[in-house]
């Protein structure tokens, strides 16, 4: 997701793509910076995915990963990825994750 612009995304992720290309022969890795307006159509065309969408694809279609990003957190390495869902105090209809089925929402930072 090119949340901070395409060039910033390329600057951040190109070294990772270069590293993977050197370490995993026979595969080509490329960074494809996409804004929110293009991500849906690109994923629908089976061209790319996001971490959030990958989890959905893994559950629905048995998708498998080729590589996993390891983040450095407090001096340790981690592959964990998490999200938090906040709701307005007046939304009594949302109490747990199963209440989100068939609802649309968008994340933000």
């Amino acid at each position: 997701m090119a949340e901070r612009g395409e060039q910033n995304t390329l600057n951040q992720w190109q070294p990772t793509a270069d590293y993977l290309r050197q370490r995993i022969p026979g595969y080509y890795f490329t960074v494809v910076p996409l804004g929110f307006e293009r991500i849906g159509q690109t994923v629908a065309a089976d061209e790319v995915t996001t971490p959030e969408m990958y989890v959905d694809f893994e559950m629905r279609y048995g998708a498998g990963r080729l590589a996993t990003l390891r983040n450095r957190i407090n001096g340790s390495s981690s592959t964990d990825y998490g999200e938090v869902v906040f709701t307005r105090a007046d939304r009594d209809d949302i109490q747990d994750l199963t209440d989100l089925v068939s609802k649309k929402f968008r994340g933000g930072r």
Side-chain angles (χ1 to χ4, degrees), residues 61-109:
Y61 310 115
R65 68 190 68 80
L66 180 61
T68 299
L69 174 68
R70 297 186 70 82
N71 289 309
R72 197 172 311 258
I73 301 171
N74 297 326
S76 296
S77 178
S78 175
T79 59
D80 292 342
Y81 184 85
E83 301 255 350
V84 177
V85 177
F86 291 96
T87 62
R88 292 185 347 212
D90 63 342
R91 291 297 303 262
D92 294 332
D93 59 321
I94 302 175
Q95 297 298 316
D96 60 47
L97 290 177
T98 60
D99 296 331
L100 296 176
V101 174
S102 300
K103 291 187 173 50
K104 293 182 180 182
F105 63 96
R106 178 176 177 223
R109 291 194 178 212

Side-chain angles (χ1 to χ4, degrees), residues 9-70:
T9 300
L10 286 171
N11 292 343
Q12 179 181 1
W13 291 102
Q14 190 58 52
T16 301
D18 295 341
Y19 174 85
L20 291 171
R21 192 176 305 124
Q22 292 172 359
R23 302 286 183 185
I24 305 174
Y27 290 92
Y28 181 79
F29 297 86
T30 185
V31 179
V32 180
L34 297 170
F36 286 109
E37 68 282 351
R38 289 188 45 220
I39 192 70
Q41 66 193 35
T42 306
V43 171
D46 291 329
E47 294 173 2
V48 72
T49 189
T50 66
E52 298 90 352
M53 293 173 179
Y54 168 76
V55 172
D56 183 47
F57 293 164
E58 184 178 41
M59 296 300 294
R60 285 187 203 209
Y61 310 115
R65 68 190 68 80
L66 180 61
T68 299
L69 174 68
R70 297 186 70 82

